[in-house]
Amino acid sequence: MATDTPLPIAIPAPFDRRTGKSRSNRRLISISCSALLIPLLLLSTSAAHATSTFLTASGTFTTNIPNPFTTSFFSASGPSSLSPYGSATVTASGNTDSAACVGLFGGAPGTAAMNFAMDFGGGNTLTGTLTVPCVALVNAANAGLGGTGTGTGSGTITGGTGRFAGASGSFPSLAVSLTITGAKADTGPDGVTTAINYYATFQTSGNGTLSTPAPQPPGAVSVQPASGITATQLFVFQFSDPGGFQALSVVDVLVNSSLDGRQACYVAFVPKDATSGSVYLVDNAGDAGGPYSGMLLPSSGTVSNSQCSITATGSSVLGSGNTLTLTLAITFTASFAGNKVIYLAAQDATSGSGWQALGTWGVPGFSTFPSATAATPGHSTGSSQTFTFTYTDTKGAQDLGVLNVLINNFLDGRQACYIAYSQPFKVLYLVGDAGGGLSAGLTLGGSGSVGNGQCTVSANDSSATASGNTLTLVLKIGFTAAFDGNRVIYLAARDSTDTGNSGWQPLGSTTVQ
């Protein structure tokens, strides 16, 4: 059931119920973008746009042309070149029947259609159709072995993959040349010739245009494990690019209490190929322009700053398809103790993923009174989730006052899923979209819900349970479509006397989708 009982004490810092702002000595909410949005290391911010490219195509293919013509009368494969994109391998096959080409030795031949696929490697392909002039086949056949026939065809690009995803274009005029290089008679069991297969060299050349939509940006995909508490950990980071992993120019990992490259474990990796590249660790000042501490993968080196060290032994990289998997053996220093957010970012030649919060990590050696202890699951994906949040107080759970949960991109109470739970009054409140004002109170385990523009908390399937020094808050939270994206889960706790405060602790992350 809902209740309008007011909070018996102030919501813990950083939120002050009277002003809707953070308290100056425990500030959290209003942090300027300039202080948070540092540039990506070694990355540009150029936008990707749709392109239209003038093409020059040529190719030489080995063909097998059976006679009489069948529904797949024409097949070809071989090397080709498409300027400015370079070399490719083309495979093509006919999809017409004998009505298009009435015979090699007479008649009034028309045109035959072929499907083609042009493979540039790395998952980058162009597909389309070619119109082949049958007169070239007839003239070549009439000239006998070694004869050449010519004609004019055309081509249409209908799609592609990788860098050519969504491509379209045309070759209005293609010069086609076919030279018969041999013939072989196929005979049936009765000795009667059933077909003559002509082996030929098929050549095309011509100009055209290719249009491609603005490419999809690269992605910062995941970190495993996504949460935990250790000083040393083997992390596995995944990144993707629709143009293939080799299109990635640099990927970044930043571990810190906020999105700030200063006094951070701030790493850039520049791939060389599928299994090697260079690791750069940014200095303590967060100077994205260098100098860096660098090492190669694979090697036996180490890079370090005052927050962390990374050893090449145990670290690796593997590129496959559109995915780059970077494994790093990281040890955090004792002076870096505390709860941290793991941010990832990726960049290719035209666009970047932006910073994505995909995990949290606890570096041992840090304690508060009272304590915001854990968020479970450490990372989740979806539009709704039942979360378990735990808080502890060495004086017992009954000493806890107000407990907070804040889910957002950054530590900002505006446009956030921002929750306050009063342990003494056993009532939950949801903070308004502007980072101030409270919803009606909600009694957990009952009926009803409270919501704002980012989320809804349902009383059903939610609970608060105290045991010894620990209070466990289970909340069923549904997120709105407008809140899609990677979010950090921050917890905070204050004791009942309003003197002990955990401060905000990043203890989980969620991908809302």
Side-chain angles (χ1 to χ4, degrees), residues 41 261-262 266 282-292:
L41 177 63
R262 298 164 295 182
Y266 186 7
V282 181
D283 63 17
N284 297 333
D287 296 324
Y292 316 112

Side-chain angles (χ1 to χ4, degrees), residues 12-15 26 28 404-406 411 418 490-492 502-506:
F15 176 72
R26 296 185 179 104
L28 163 73
N404 280 158
V405 177
L406 192 153
L411 200 47
Y418 188 5
Y490 301 91
L491 305 187
S502 69
W504 287 99
Q505 304 298 322

Side-chain angles (χ1 to χ4, degrees), residues 98-262:
S98 58
C101 295
V102 297
L104 287 179
F105 297 100
T111 59
M114 299 170 58
N115 292 323
F116 75 87
M118 184 175 289
D119 187 356
F120 294 84
N124 301 300
T125 62
L126 277 173
T127 56
T129 60
L130 291 176
T131 299
V132 180
C134 295
V135 66
L137 312 183
V138 173
N139 291 343
N142 286 336
L145 297 184
T148 298
T150 59
T152 302
S154 62
T156 301
I157 297 170
T158 58
T161 62
R163 68 187 298 181
F164 300 113
S168 61
S170 64
F171 298 93
S173 179
L174 285 173
V176 177
S177 172
L178 187 137
T179 301
I180 300 293
T181 57
K184 176 184 176 183
D186 292 337
T187 57
D190 56 359
V192 177
T193 298
T194 57
I196 300 176
N197 291 293
Y198 290 85
Y199 295 90
T201 298
F202 176 69
Q203 294 180 306
T204 61
S205 62
N207 298 324
T209 58
L210 172 68
S211 296
T212 55
Q216 293 297 307
V221 179
S222 66
V223 53
Q224 293 294 333
S227 63
I229 305 175
T230 60
T232 299
Q233 181 64 45
L234 193 67
F235 290 99
V236 179
F237 306 102
Q238 282 200 334
F239 307 87
S240 67
D241 195 292
F245 77 88
Q246 65 274 21
L248 291 166
S249 54
V250 63
V251 297
D252 282 4
V253 176
L254 192 153
V255 183
N256 208 351
S257 54
S258 63
L259 189 52
D260 192 334
R262 298 164 295 182

Side-chain angles (χ1 to χ4, degrees), residues 374-420:
T376 304
H379 182 77
S380 61
T381 300
S383 60
S384 65
Q385 180 69 45
T386 298
F387 294 97
T388 300
F389 307 112
T390 57
Y391 305 83
T392 60
D393 188 318
T394 55
K395 295 180 181 180
Q398 72 282 354
D399 184 57
L400 289 166
V402 174
L403 311 175
N404 280 158
V405 177
L406 192 153
I407 304 174
N408 209 349
N409 296 46
F410 306 107
L411 200 47
D412 192 333
R414 297 163 298 183
Q415 278 66 56
C417 184
Y418 188 5
I419 298 163

Side-chain angles (χ1 to χ4, degrees), residues 52-72:
S52 181
T53 305
F54 182 77
L55 304 175
T56 300
S58 64
T60 300
F61 318 113
T62 301
T63 65
N64 176 13
I65 312 166
N67 179 40
F69 298 126
T70 64
T71 55
S72 57

